[in-house]
mmCIF file of all heavy atoms in Angstrom:
data_model
loop_
_atom_site.group_PDB
_atom_site.id
_atom_site.type_symbol
_atom_site.label_atom_id
_atom_site.label_comp_id
_atom_site.label_asym_id
_atom_site.label_seq_id
_atom_site.Cartn_x
_atom_site.Cartn_y
_atom_site.Cartn_z
ATOM 1 N N LEU Q 1 17.635 -41.525 -22.633
ATOM 2 C CA LEU Q 1 17.715 -40.449 -21.626
ATOM 3 C C LEU Q 1 18.709 -39.394 -22.019
ATOM 4 O O LEU Q 1 18.640 -38.235 -21.599
ATOM 5 C CB LEU Q 1 18.000 -41.045 -20.274
ATOM 6 C CG LEU Q 1 16.934 -41.930 -19.710
ATOM 7 C CD1 LEU Q 1 17.417 -42.587 -18.420
ATOM 8 C CD2 LEU Q 1 15.619 -41.188 -19.457
ATOM 9 N N SER Q 2 19.725 -39.758 -22.818
ATOM 10 C CA SER Q 2 20.726 -38.793 -23.258
ATOM 11 C C SER Q 2 20.411 -38.117 -24.582
ATOM 12 O O SER Q 2 21.193 -37.412 -25.135
ATOM 13 C CB SER Q 2 22.135 -39.447 -23.329
ATOM 14 O OG SER Q 2 22.087 -40.557 -24.191
ATOM 15 N N ASN Q 3 19.194 -38.351 -25.068
ATOM 16 C CA ASN Q 3 18.749 -37.800 -26.341
ATOM 17 C C ASN Q 3 17.594 -36.841 -26.038
ATOM 18 O O ASN Q 3 16.518 -37.225 -25.612
ATOM 19 C CB ASN Q 3 18.221 -38.904 -27.268
ATOM 20 C CG ASN Q 3 17.807 -38.385 -28.613
ATOM 21 O OD1 ASN Q 3 17.709 -37.155 -28.825
ATOM 22 N ND2 ASN Q 3 17.500 -39.274 -29.526
ATOM 23 N N PRO Q 4 17.773 -35.530 -26.266
ATOM 24 C CA PRO Q 4 16.749 -34.538 -25.948
ATOM 25 C C PRO Q 4 15.473 -34.722 -26.698
ATOM 26 O O PRO Q 4 14.427 -34.213 -26.312
ATOM 27 C CB PRO Q 4 17.396 -33.221 -26.264
ATOM 28 C CG PRO Q 4 18.718 -33.471 -26.871
ATOM 29 C CD PRO Q 4 19.008 -34.906 -26.778
ATOM 30 N N ALA Q 5 15.516 -35.509 -27.798
ATOM 31 C CA ALA Q 5 14.299 -35.735 -28.601
ATOM 32 C C ALA Q 5 13.418 -36.778 -27.987
ATOM 33 O O ALA Q 5 12.219 -36.867 -28.369
ATOM 34 C CB ALA Q 5 14.690 -36.149 -30.030
ATOM 35 N N SER Q 6 13.923 -37.611 -27.089
ATOM 36 C CA SER Q 6 13.112 -38.613 -26.463
ATOM 37 C C SER Q 6 12.116 -37.978 -25.466
ATOM 38 O O SER Q 6 12.394 -36.969 -24.879
ATOM 39 C CB SER Q 6 13.960 -39.632 -25.707
ATOM 40 O OG SER Q 6 14.749 -40.348 -26.611
ATOM 41 N N ARG Q 7 10.964 -38.640 -25.317
ATOM 42 C CA ARG Q 7 9.971 -38.145 -24.383
ATOM 43 C C ARG Q 7 9.191 -39.330 -23.847
ATOM 44 O O ARG Q 7 9.208 -40.411 -24.431
ATOM 45 C CB ARG Q 7 9.054 -37.145 -25.016
ATOM 46 C CG ARG Q 7 8.264 -37.617 -26.221
ATOM 47 C CD ARG Q 7 7.562 -36.425 -26.872
ATOM 48 N NE ARG Q 7 6.644 -36.911 -27.893
ATOM 49 C CZ ARG Q 7 7.032 -37.251 -29.157
ATOM 50 N NH1 ARG Q 7 8.301 -37.162 -29.515
ATOM 51 N NH2 ARG Q 7 6.130 -37.657 -30.031
ATOM 52 N N PRO Q 8 8.455 -39.129 -22.726
ATOM 53 C CA PRO Q 8 7.788 -40.279 -22.110
ATOM 54 C C PRO Q 8 6.660 -40.798 -22.949
ATOM 55 O O PRO Q 8 5.969 -40.079 -23.714
ATOM 56 C CB PRO Q 8 7.278 -39.666 -20.794
ATOM 57 C CG PRO Q 8 8.165 -38.503 -20.508
ATOM 58 C CD PRO Q 8 8.481 -37.956 -21.869
ATOM 59 N N GLY Q 9 6.434 -42.122 -22.759
ATOM 60 C CA GLY Q 9 5.354 -42.814 -23.428
ATOM 61 C C GLY Q 9 5.242 -44.203 -22.844
ATOM 62 O O GLY Q 9 5.941 -44.542 -21.908
ATOM 63 N N VAL Q 10 4.382 -45.015 -23.413
ATOM 64 C CA VAL Q 10 4.163 -46.374 -22.875
ATOM 65 C C VAL Q 10 4.740 -47.408 -23.829
ATOM 66 O O VAL Q 10 4.510 -47.377 -25.004
ATOM 67 C CB VAL Q 10 2.656 -46.663 -22.710
ATOM 68 C CG1 VAL Q 10 2.433 -48.122 -22.266
ATOM 69 C CG2 VAL Q 10 2.086 -45.730 -21.631
ATOM 70 N N LEU Q 11 5.577 -48.328 -23.242
ATOM 71 C CA LEU Q 11 6.143 -49.441 -23.981
ATOM 72 C C LEU Q 11 6.258 -50.594 -23.095
ATOM 73 O O LEU Q 11 6.702 -50.476 -21.922
ATOM 74 C CB LEU Q 11 7.515 -49.096 -24.565
ATOM 75 C CG LEU Q 11 8.255 -50.188 -25.342
ATOM 76 C CD1 LEU Q 11 7.507 -50.551 -26.610
ATOM 77 C CD2 LEU Q 11 9.675 -49.779 -25.653
ATOM 78 N N HIS Q 12 5.771 -51.757 -23.581
ATOM 79 C CA HIS Q 12 5.883 -52.993 -22.814
ATOM 80 C C HIS Q 12 5.370 -52.873 -21.373
ATOM 81 O O HIS Q 12 6.009 -53.405 -20.419
ATOM 82 C CB HIS Q 12 7.328 -53.527 -22.854
ATOM 83 C CG HIS Q 12 7.814 -53.863 -24.215
ATOM 84 N ND1 HIS Q 12 9.089 -53.595 -24.664
ATOM 85 C CD2 HIS Q 12 7.116 -54.398 -25.291
ATOM 86 C CE1 HIS Q 12 9.184 -54.037 -25.943
ATOM 87 N NE2 HIS Q 12 8.038 -54.472 -26.325
ATOM 88 N N GLY Q 13 4.243 -52.204 -21.224
ATOM 89 C CA GLY Q 13 3.581 -52.208 -19.970
ATOM 90 C C GLY Q 13 3.922 -51.163 -18.964
ATOM 91 O O GLY Q 13 3.417 -51.144 -17.843
ATOM 92 N N ALA Q 14 4.810 -50.201 -19.339
ATOM 93 C CA ALA Q 14 5.245 -49.228 -18.345
ATOM 94 C C ALA Q 14 5.354 -47.852 -19.070
ATOM 95 O O ALA Q 14 5.658 -47.796 -20.244
ATOM 96 C CB ALA Q 14 6.555 -49.588 -17.700
ATOM 97 N N TYR Q 15 5.211 -46.809 -18.269
ATOM 98 C CA TYR Q 15 5.406 -45.448 -18.738
ATOM 99 C C TYR Q 15 6.786 -44.992 -18.426
ATOM 100 O O TYR Q 15 7.225 -44.957 -17.265
ATOM 101 C CB TYR Q 15 4.384 -44.553 -18.043
ATOM 102 C CG TYR Q 15 4.348 -43.100 -18.430
ATOM 103 C CD1 TYR Q 15 3.924 -42.671 -19.721
ATOM 104 C CD2 TYR Q 15 4.813 -42.091 -17.582
ATOM 105 C CE1 TYR Q 15 3.893 -41.342 -20.077
ATOM 106 C CE2 TYR Q 15 4.768 -40.750 -17.890
ATOM 107 C CZ TYR Q 15 4.349 -40.388 -19.183
ATOM 108 O OH TYR Q 15 4.371 -39.067 -19.527
ATOM 109 N N SER Q 16 7.563 -44.611 -19.456
ATOM 110 C CA SER Q 16 8.925 -44.201 -19.256
ATOM 111 C C SER Q 16 9.356 -43.426 -20.495
ATOM 112 O O SER Q 16 8.559 -43.214 -21.409
ATOM 113 C CB SER Q 16 9.890 -45.399 -19.000
ATOM 114 O OG SER Q 16 11.188 -44.964 -18.683
ATOM 115 N N TYR Q 17 10.597 -43.020 -20.580
ATOM 116 C CA TYR Q 17 11.141 -42.337 -21.762
ATOM 117 C C TYR Q 17 11.293 -43.371 -22.894
ATOM 118 O O TYR Q 17 11.748 -44.494 -22.694
ATOM 119 C CB TYR Q 17 12.519 -41.703 -21.458
ATOM 120 C CG TYR Q 17 12.398 -40.349 -20.793
ATOM 121 C CD1 TYR Q 17 12.335 -40.285 -19.411
ATOM 122 C CD2 TYR Q 17 12.362 -39.173 -21.520
ATOM 123 C CE1 TYR Q 17 12.252 -39.041 -18.758
ATOM 124 C CE2 TYR Q 17 12.248 -37.951 -20.890
ATOM 125 C CZ TYR Q 17 12.222 -37.884 -19.492
ATOM 126 O OH TYR Q 17 12.101 -36.662 -18.872
ATOM 127 N N LEU Q 18 10.948 -42.847 -24.102
ATOM 128 C CA LEU Q 18 11.025 -43.723 -25.296
ATOM 129 C C LEU Q 18 11.629 -42.925 -26.456
ATOM 130 O O LEU Q 18 11.522 -41.675 -26.502
ATOM 131 C CB LEU Q 18 9.595 -44.164 -25.765
ATOM 132 C CG LEU Q 18 8.727 -44.896 -24.784
ATOM 133 C CD1 LEU Q 18 7.366 -45.195 -25.449
ATOM 134 C CD2 LEU Q 18 9.365 -46.181 -24.290
ATOM 135 N N ALA Q 19 12.147 -43.670 -27.389
ATOM 136 C CA ALA Q 19 12.514 -43.090 -28.705
ATOM 137 C C ALA Q 19 11.257 -43.250 -29.549
ATOM 138 O O ALA Q 19 10.839 -44.354 -29.873
ATOM 139 C CB ALA Q 19 13.669 -43.869 -29.310
ATOM 140 N N GLN Q 20 10.599 -42.113 -29.881
ATOM 141 C CA GLN Q 20 9.360 -42.150 -30.596
ATOM 142 C C GLN Q 20 9.252 -40.923 -31.536
ATOM 143 O O GLN Q 20 9.916 -39.923 -31.352
ATOM 144 C CB GLN Q 20 8.178 -42.133 -29.651
ATOM 145 C CG GLN Q 20 8.164 -41.054 -28.643
ATOM 146 C CD GLN Q 20 6.996 -41.173 -27.635
ATOM 147 O OE1 GLN Q 20 5.882 -41.345 -27.993
ATOM 148 N NE2 GLN Q 20 7.319 -41.049 -26.372
ATOM 149 N N ASP Q 21 8.406 -41.050 -32.551
ATOM 150 C CA ASP Q 21 8.235 -39.984 -33.520
ATOM 151 C C ASP Q 21 7.146 -39.021 -33.043
ATOM 152 O O ASP Q 21 6.570 -39.194 -31.952
ATOM 153 C CB ASP Q 21 7.949 -40.513 -34.949
ATOM 154 C CG ASP Q 21 6.671 -41.328 -35.032
ATOM 155 O OD1 ASP Q 21 5.813 -41.145 -34.153
ATOM 156 O OD2 ASP Q 21 6.536 -42.132 -35.956
ATOM 157 N N ASP Q 22 6.846 -38.021 -33.882
ATOM 158 C CA ASP Q 22 5.839 -36.988 -33.495
ATOM 159 C C ASP Q 22 4.434 -37.575 -33.355
ATOM 160 O O ASP Q 22 3.574 -36.952 -32.709
ATOM 161 C CB ASP Q 22 5.813 -35.883 -34.560
ATOM 162 C CG ASP Q 22 7.121 -35.059 -34.568
ATOM 163 O OD1 ASP Q 22 7.824 -35.092 -33.527
ATOM 164 O OD2 ASP Q 22 7.426 -34.446 -35.538
ATOM 165 N N ASP Q 23 4.188 -38.754 -33.957
ATOM 166 C CA ASP Q 23 2.863 -39.410 -33.822
ATOM 167 C C ASP Q 23 2.816 -40.355 -32.637
ATOM 168 O O ASP Q 23 1.796 -41.050 -32.452
ATOM 169 C CB ASP Q 23 2.562 -40.151 -35.096
ATOM 170 C CG ASP Q 23 2.417 -39.206 -36.291
ATOM 171 O OD1 ASP Q 23 1.881 -38.085 -36.092
ATOM 172 O OD2 ASP Q 23 2.850 -39.586 -37.418
ATOM 173 N N GLY Q 24 3.928 -40.430 -31.860
ATOM 174 C CA GLY Q 24 3.927 -41.339 -30.744
ATOM 175 C C GLY Q 24 4.273 -42.768 -31.080
ATOM 176 O O GLY Q 24 4.161 -43.638 -30.219
ATOM 177 N N GLN Q 25 4.736 -43.005 -32.323
ATOM 178 C CA GLN Q 25 5.139 -44.351 -32.701
ATOM 179 C C GLN Q 25 6.618 -44.615 -32.307
ATOM 180 O O GLN Q 25 7.461 -43.788 -32.548
ATOM 181 C CB GLN Q 25 4.960 -44.547 -34.188
ATOM 182 C CG GLN Q 25 3.489 -44.386 -34.682
ATOM 183 C CD GLN Q 25 2.603 -45.445 -34.032
ATOM 184 O OE1 GLN Q 25 2.889 -46.639 -34.102
ATOM 185 N NE2 GLN Q 25 1.508 -44.957 -33.495
ATOM 186 N N VAL Q 26 6.810 -45.784 -31.716
ATOM 187 C CA VAL Q 26 8.199 -46.139 -31.319
ATOM 188 C C VAL Q 26 9.028 -46.257 -32.587
ATOM 189 O O VAL Q 26 8.668 -46.925 -33.565
ATOM 190 C CB VAL Q 26 8.207 -47.478 -30.525
ATOM 191 C CG1 VAL Q 26 9.646 -47.839 -30.153
ATOM 192 C CG2 VAL Q 26 7.384 -47.302 -29.235
ATOM 193 N N ILE Q 27 10.208 -45.601 -32.565
ATOM 194 C CA ILE Q 27 11.036 -45.649 -33.761
ATOM 195 C C ILE Q 27 12.139 -46.730 -33.641
ATOM 196 O O ILE Q 27 12.415 -47.195 -32.519
ATOM 197 C CB ILE Q 27 11.743 -44.272 -34.003
ATOM 198 C CG1 ILE Q 27 12.634 -43.916 -32.819
ATOM 199 C CG2 ILE Q 27 10.717 -43.187 -34.222
ATOM 200 C CD1 ILE Q 27 13.452 -42.610 -33.035
ATOM 201 N N GLU Q 28 12.673 -47.090 -34.761
ATOM 202 C CA GLU Q 28 13.749 -48.104 -34.773
ATOM 203 C C GLU Q 28 14.983 -47.469 -34.094
ATOM 204 O O GLU Q 28 15.284 -46.284 -34.297
ATOM 205 C CB GLU Q 28 14.086 -48.505 -36.185
ATOM 206 C CG GLU Q 28 13.005 -49.283 -36.888
ATOM 207 C CD GLU Q 28 13.401 -49.791 -38.264
ATOM 208 O OE1 GLU Q 28 14.618 -49.678 -38.557
ATOM 209 O OE2 GLU Q 28 12.543 -50.272 -38.974
ATOM 210 N N VAL Q 29 15.680 -48.266 -33.352
ATOM 211 C CA VAL Q 29 16.931 -47.780 -32.767
ATOM 212 C C VAL Q 29 18.049 -48.730 -33.198
ATOM 213 O O VAL Q 29 17.797 -49.815 -33.739
ATOM 214 C CB VAL Q 29 16.859 -47.740 -31.237
ATOM 215 C CG1 VAL Q 29 15.874 -46.669 -30.807
ATOM 216 C CG2 VAL Q 29 16.569 -49.079 -30.628
#
């Protein structure tokens, strides 16, 4: 939430903000 590059998507059954790339793939954190 404190990273402007994050945007909403689906992970582990819910829609929320995620760290993801331009293709919508969850990135390593």
Side-chain angles (χ1 to χ4, degrees):
L1 296 174
S2 57
N3 183 352
S6 294
R7 59 188 189 279
V10 174
L11 177 66
H12 297 142
Y15 182 70
S16 187
Y17 278 88
L18 305 178
Q20 53 184 312
D21 62 22
D22 291 339
D23 296 323
Q25 298 298 308
V26 178
I27 63 175
E28 294 184 11
V29 295

